[in-house]
Amino acid sequence: MAKIKPRVKVPKSADAGEIVEIKALISHPMHTGRAKDKAGNVIPRKIINSFKVAFNGAEIFSMDLEPAISANPYVAFPFKATEAGTMDFTWVEDGGAEYTVSKKLKVS
Amino acid sequence: MRNIMYAAVGLMMTTATAMAAGTPYHEGSATIIEPTDERNPLAEVVSGIDFRKSMIREMQEDEFSNPGMIVVDYGAEIWEQVDGTAGKSLSDVWESCAGMDAATAAVSYPRYHDGAGKVISLEQQINYCRETAMGAEPYKWEKADMLGMTAFIRYQGNGEAINVSIDGPAAATYERGKELYYQRVGQLDMSCAHCHEDNYGNYIRADMLSQGHINGFPTYRVKWNGVGSTHRRFRGCNGNIRATKLAYGHEDYVALELYLAWRGNGLTVETPAVRQ
Amino acid sequence: MKQHMQMNAISRRQALALMGAAGLVTATGMPAFADAAAMADKIKAITGGAAVGDGASIILDLPEIAENGNAVKVAFEIDSPMTADDHVKAVHVFADGNPTPEVASFSFSSASGACGASTRMRLAKTQNIVVLAAMNDGSFQQAQATVKVTIGGCGG
């Protein structure tokens, strides 16, 4: 894939107190460090090792990923909507590179 | 090739039993359509997704779970990107160059194109437009740009019925595709029909055979950890039966692609589909 | 439906040969696998040896048979009020037949509203999956299931 790109689903709006499902996907090969390329050389480990989600600045969910997580890691998790705000998603790759995306949520 | 090659010849296919439960085809919940053309040898036309179990189906059907959508997103981005000496994007030139909008193109390829003077695949149409209308370099088959663009264009017709033409100037290509479909090839001496016409719905070892339709391509395959074209799948099939793999874009693969697309006329576009 | 089946059945020879092609790919460079003992050690490192409940509050969603081990759905839901006083702090997922037993760990908060997650993992072969939940009161719950990983003929 050309670039490492996230794709997330946050509903545009929710009722106060409603539990909504958040979905997050990022394109990444999740190299385990165990596979070899066509020339027989070991492909060094490079995975997304951490995923964190904050709402209005406070962490609400996180995930530590191991090499056993599939390529193009996907995760869905619940969130209880109480107030309007911004959800910030951060993926961290081995080596420290970060990929982020933000989504707004309205609460009525 | 090892002893197993000389093992007793016996009936290997397992007919649909309890082992098959879990696929819509076996549970009777599949979408089954009648062939749209009396020349179609299939009595029933069933999309490959109906031969898959829930894990794969869920992955395909939820757009935010489907990893193929990342490739569609990328295609949407480069569709609008200016590239080449004419200072245009593919979205600027597509309708006049291809002769139809993207949603129509999604259900129409492979197709005879006047400019090209032959039946061409969607990949070849994209490169034809890049070279003749944009003054841009052709994309390489099976690379991110081509997969993104084909996935994006096909996605514009997602849910619409496949409707390729095999008549008029496409007739000879159709005949060639049909010939290839039934031709035994490779060390295993098998044709497409052995698996996908005579044995769909049956297991070949642990693998459930489908009718081999291509309405979901480019498709995300779990085995590939990514999206691939029909020609990549053809190369995989050819390799499995120990036949010679043809080059991407080979005229025989385009002919086979036309024939397969036509067998699935009436199925809806499912790009990006997900398979095991 | 398929009247030609007998005539054109695929022979054992053909089917085994198709299998062989798939087998060659997966057999190269197979690393040593973790085992139940390695997984138990990892679990003990988290629980500190404390008793672990039988996981009656944990609902697992795993396929019985995975059509390909590259992306196997693993999802769980844990019955919890998820209040500041009573919530699931973390959930750890292990697999005892992979090169290393750890799959993923999840942290929840009272803002989650409910406890659950769904992701996709790699399974090298048929094996047991353990989901270990750490509660805010220091107690633990664990649920387990087996997933069969099939070796495909040509699709897998």
Side-chain angles (χ1 to χ4, degrees):
Chain A
M1 234 149 284
K3 284 181 254 175
I4 292 167
K5 291 201 71 173
R7 184 175 162 83
V8 299
K9 186 189 186 187
V10 176
K12 283 201 173 63
S13 65
D15 296 333
E18 188 186 350
I19 296 172
V20 295
E21 190 177 34
I22 312 296
K23 295 171 183 174
L25 183 66
I26 189 164
S27 56
H28 197 282
M30 296 290 281
H31 291 304
T32 62
R34 293 174 185 275
K36 289 177 181 171
D37 64 16
K38 279 176 187 164
N41 304 311
V42 172
I43 303 166
R45 174 182 145 146
K46 187 163 242 188
I47 67 167
I48 296 288
N49 60 49
S50 161
F51 171 62
K52 288 186 182 346
V53 185
F55 190 71
N56 289 343
E59 186 171 308
I60 55 159
F61 175 83
S62 74
M63 176 178 177
D64 293 330
L65 296 81
E66 301 291 338
I69 292 295
S70 304
N72 305 311
Y74 165 77
V75 62
F77 57 93
F79 173 66
K80 188 173 183 177
T82 52
E83 54 173 352
T86 303
M87 198 171 280
D88 300 308
F89 301 80
T90 306
W91 290 260
V92 184
E93 188 183 47
D94 286 349
E98 289 193 1
Y99 306 93
T100 59
V101 66
S102 297
K103 291 278 173 182
K104 288 209 181 331
L105 173 69
K106 283 184 199 161
V107 172
S108 52
Chain B
M1 184 122 332
R2 299 194 306 274
N3 299 339
I4 53 167
M5 290 293 288
Y6 302 100
V9 173
L11 212 120
M12 206 46 226
M13 309 308 300
T14 321
T15 36
T17 58
M19 196 186 168
T23 81
Y25 181 73
H26 298 93
E27 288 178 345
S29 57
T31 306
I32 293 177
I33 63 167
E34 300 266 318
T36 57
D37 187 327
E38 61 187 16
R39 290 169 287 182
N40 192 331
L42 293 167
E44 52 177 8
V45 178
V46 189
S47 172
I49 196 66
D50 285 323
F51 293 94
R52 302 271 61 92
K53 293 176 185 168
S54 62
M55 191 182 84
I56 296 286
R57 293 204 310 276
E58 279 177 25
M59 230 171 131
Q60 171 172 320
E61 283 158 13
D62 178 346
E63 288 203 346
F64 286 90
S65 162
N66 184 337
M69 285 304 297
I70 290 172
V71 176
V72 172
D73 280 356
Y74 178 64
E77 210 177 293
I78 58 174
W79 169 253
E80 301 287 349
Q81 245 166 39
V82 170
D83 192 8
T85 54
K88 291 184 188 308
S89 68
L90 193 62
S91 72
D92 295 330
V93 305
W94 181 262
E95 278 203 49
S96 62
C97 166
M100 53 175 54
D101 64 21
T104 311
V107 301
S108 306
Y109 282 80
R111 163 178 172 256
Y112 181 85
H113 186 255
D114 283 333
K118 58 180 180 180
V119 172
I120 55 174
S121 69
L122 187 56
E123 288 88 346
Q124 290 163 331
Q125 183 67 72
I126 289 166
N127 274 346
Y128 177 89
C129 295
R130 287 182 58 80
E131 292 183 280
T132 63
M134 294 166 64
E137 290 290 312
Y139 286 149
K140 287 197 174 74
W141 209 290
E142 223 54 34
K143 294 291 184 193
D145 288 344
M146 183 61 96
L147 289 168
M149 196 64 92
T150 48
F152 170 74
I153 292 173
R154 291 271 294 174
Y155 182 69
Q156 303 317 299
N158 188 295
E160 300 296 320
I162 305 271
N163 183 26
V164 300
S165 168
I166 58 163
D167 297 315
T173 307
Y174 159 79
E175 289 297 340
R176 176 63 181 151
K178 183 179 174 183
E179 186 184 336
L180 291 163
Y181 187 86
Y182 290 103
Q183 190 173 77
R184 287 175 176 271
V185 289
Q187 282 184 320
L188 297 189
D189 203 28
M190 291 169 79
S191 75
C192 304
H194 284 105
C195 284
H196 298 292
E197 185 167 306
D198 301 326
N199 280 298
Y200 69 84
N202 292 334
Y203 275 103
I204 182 157
R205 301 293 289 207
D207 222 23
M208 171 62 66
L209 292 166
S210 73
Q211 290 187 334
H213 292 299
I214 55 174
N215 54 313
F217 279 89
T219 289
Y220 186 92
R221 279 190 87 200
V222 167
K223 179 186 174 180
W224 293 336
N225 289 320
V227 161
S229 69
T230 45
H231 291 202
R232 180 169 179 192
R233 192 67 189 88
F234 294 166
R235 286 167 60 86
C237 283
N238 280 158
N240 285 338
I241 57 168
R242 315 246 169 93
T244 306
K245 295 178 183 181
L246 302 180
Y248 289 107
H250 191 287
E251 61 180 7
D252 276 353
Y253 275 174
V254 175
L256 185 60
E257 186 183 344
L258 173 68
Y259 180 70
L260 287 180
W262 170 80
R263 287 171 69 102
N265 262 356
L267 289 175
T268 55
V269 176
E270 291 176 19
T271 305
V274 175
R275 293 293 183 271
Q276 73 279 22
Chain C
M1 178 174 59
K2 281 152 280 167
Q3 60 275 43
H4 303 305
M5 197 194 128
Q6 293 298 322
M7 207 169 71
N8 277 335
I10 293 166
S11 71
R12 174 173 294 271
R13 181 179 67 91
Q14 288 167 326
L16 285 175
L18 284 167
M19 273 292 293
L24 283 178
V25 177
T26 47
T28 47
M30 268 309 189
F33 293 116
D35 55 24
M39 182 169 75
D41 287 348
K42 296 288 181 185
I43 291 172
K44 202 173 170 189
I46 292 169
T47 62
V52 177
D54 68 359
S57 59
I58 304 175
I59 301 169
L60 295 184
D61 183 359
L62 288 157
E64 258 179 72
I65 300 174
E67 290 173 278
N68 188 304
N70 262 357
V72 180
K73 179 185 183 179
V74 50
F76 58 85
E77 276 181 41
I78 301 174
D79 187 18
S80 164
M82 295 304 279
T83 57
D85 293 341
D86 184 2
H87 63 270
V88 181
K89 260 174 35 185
V91 174
H92 309 274
V93 180
F94 297 100
D96 71 0
N98 274 350
T100 52
E102 299 97 330
V103 175
S105 294
F106 304 86
S107 298
F108 297 91
S109 68
S110 54
S112 300
C115 180
S118 176
T119 186
R120 294 191 283 253
M121 64 185 167
R122 294 164 164 152
L123 296 181
K125 59 178 184 180
T126 295
Q127 56 188 288
N128 300 308
I129 309 306
V130 166
V131 172
L132 175 72
M135 309 302 169
N136 68 311
D137 66 1
S139 67
F140 294 92
Q141 294 286 330
Q142 173 180 321
Q144 179 170 332
T146 303
V147 178
K148 281 186 194 155
V149 177
T150 59
I151 300 169
C154 24

